[in-house]
Amino acid sequence: MRAVLAAVLATFTLLATGVSPASAASSLSALPGGKANFVVTQGFLRAASTQNWVRLGTYQFKTNGTVSANSYLWWQRNPEGRQATGVVPDSSCATKAGGKSTRVRACDVLTAPGYTGAPDESHTGTYTVAGNVVSIRWKINQTWTEQWRVRLSPDGKLAQLQFANSTLATHGYGYGSNASLTTRRAMSSVRAFPGALRQDLVSWSGNHIVNSASQPFSQSAFRGCATTTWCLTYLQPASKGACQKSGGCPNYGGGTKANVSSIQYYLTKISNTDRRDTLWHWCTCLAMERKTFCYSGNSHMKPLLQIIDDSGAFRGWVGAEASFYPGGPRTKDMMAVFRLSDFR
């Protein structure tokens, strides 16, 4: 049973009545980059540890120097199973036939445990801005402070948080604007986004830390679904590094006679009223090894939060991976924090 603390963030509003434009601008300047609402991913990821955790949530800054957060927490200390979203992509973007196809298999999209419900945590704190650095002190029972460098996008519509320091986390990414945290874009807008999304990631698995940067993410390659319009799918036809004979597919993977190294990708909306999406992917050969149509083993669970700029435009995601190996051991878990954005 997950211990869930449900909390609702109030939408940031600047009450300008009786305040001159100059005073309003001065008040806004106290916010990090002049922005109030942020999506943030952070984690404790250490190579030799099996006590790693990742958090994904929202920060809301107010001009009185206070900040509040709602976050989802996934921790190796409390590993949990995968959760079905109830979303099965329709026949326009998926197939029930299996075998060779250009479409993914029609499977119930899975996500990280608890992500379809309310956030696990709600906490408040105080912050200060000095130059381009925002410092946060959270009001909890242990010392929890964070420092982030703030960088504005060239168009001024988006602020980026660059992880500098934390007493609890080791890595993180964040983005903010003055768009409401209830503002989100439909999957049709995501697929049509004209910018170039690239991924920066820090991941942990098998007592190893991997850093990768500037990996392209081709959202336009995904299929839009005609009926389940809140879902996008993509069958990557082959993979050089994953889905190999040596990677858990001795009978069907790349390098075998069958030579199946395709990857099933599913990208779907979690909520109509906030920024939550999720990405699920797995090697086709893994299901074939188990003689199942859909894969229920150690697939990749990547909850996401949309990055939305001041104009309400989609600019990518921040995300976390919380893929706990069914039944252990913990060294086979896959955990990560990452960003997919055009502003990096």
Side-chain angles (χ1 to χ4, degrees):
M1 180 70 67
R2 295 174 66 82
V4 175
L5 294 176
V8 179
L9 283 175
T11 301
F12 172 80
T13 305
L14 177 63
L15 299 177
T17 305
V19 180
S20 69
S23 297
S26 175
S27 178
L28 279 171
S29 68
L31 298 169
K35 313 301 182 186
N37 301 317
F38 286 74
V39 289
V40 178
T41 181
Q42 60 180 305
F44 174 85
L45 300 172
R46 290 269 173 84
S49 177
T50 53
Q51 296 291 307
N52 297 289
W53 56 261
V54 292
R55 275 185 172 92
L56 181 65
T58 59
Y59 288 5
Q60 186 173 41
F61 295 88
K62 296 185 178 180
T63 55
N64 63 1
T66 63
V67 57
S68 56
N70 281 329
S71 302
Y72 295 86
L73 170 65
W74 297 279
W75 200 349
Q76 284 185 297
R77 186 179 294 181
N78 183 33
E80 300 172 87
R82 287 146 176 79
Q83 180 174 5
T85 63
V87 176
V88 179
D90 65 70
S91 59
S92 69
C93 57
T95 180
K96 294 183 179 179
K100 291 185 177 180
S101 175
T102 59
R103 291 173 291 168
V104 300
R105 299 186 176 197
C107 300
D108 192 342
V109 177
L110 303 183
T111 190
Y115 199 54
T116 61
D120 303 310
E121 305 173 320
S122 177
H123 46 266
T124 61
T126 58
Y127 77 94
T128 58
V129 177
N132 70 334
V133 176
V134 57
S135 300
I136 303 170
R137 178 175 292 274
W138 296 108
K139 297 178 180 178
I140 62 172
N141 291 331
Q142 64 185 118
T143 301
W144 184 5
T145 60
E146 302 173 7
Q147 288 80 42
W148 303 81
R149 287 182 291 274
V150 184
R151 178 175 166 237
L152 278 178
S153 60
D155 61 11
K157 295 180 180 180
L158 194 62
Q160 177 191 115
L161 294 182
Q162 299 176 332
F163 183 83
N165 187 47
S166 172
T167 55
L168 297 185
T170 58
H171 305 85
Y173 304 99
Y175 287 87
S177 71
N178 288 316
S180 166
L181 290 171
T182 60
T183 301
R184 61 165 292 117
R185 294 275 71 85
M187 283 298 155
S188 57
S189 297
V190 170
R191 185 171 180 265
F193 177 65
L197 298 180
R198 289 185 173 271
Q199 176 180 263
D200 297 305
L201 172 144
V202 181
S203 66
W204 180 96
S205 183
N207 293 331
H208 296 286
I209 297 290
V210 174
N211 291 270
S212 63
S214 198
Q215 294 179 331
F217 183 85
S218 183
Q219 72 282 355
S220 61
F222 281 68
R223 286 177 179 262
C225 300
T227 303
T228 50
T229 57
W230 50 93
C231 186
L232 301 175
T233 66
Y234 172 53
L235 181 66
Q236 181 177 321
S239 170
K240 292 181 180 179
C243 314
Q244 302 298 300
K245 177 180 180 179
S246 59
C249 286
N251 298 308
Y252 295 99
T256 67
K257 183 178 179 179
N259 200 37
V260 177
S261 62
S262 61
I263 303 178
Q264 312 268 335
Y265 281 94
Y266 305 77
L267 177 59
T268 191
K269 174 184 68 178
I270 294 295
S271 170
N272 287 319
T273 58
D274 57 43
R275 308 277 188 90
R276 280 176 294 163
D277 293 332
T278 198
L279 179 65
W280 180 44
H281 60 93
W282 44 278
C283 294
T284 308
C285 62
L286 290 171
M288 296 170 68
E289 296 286 342
R290 291 188 172 199
K291 302 188 183 328
T292 60
F293 185 70
C294 299
Y295 184 54
S296 59
N298 199 27
S299 54
H300 291 272
M301 324 300 303
K302 296 180 177 179
L304 308 168
L305 288 173
Q306 289 189 358
I307 300 167
I308 303 294
D309 70 16
D310 283 345
S311 64
F314 171 81
R315 302 288 293 272
W317 297 274
V318 295
E321 177 165 13
S323 305
F324 298 112
Y325 191 79
R330 298 281 62 86
T331 52
K332 291 189 177 182
D333 294 340
M334 298 175 292
M335 308 190 73
V337 293
F338 59 92
R339 63 182 177 189
L340 281 160
S341 179
D342 68 330
F343 171 45
R344 301 168 38 260

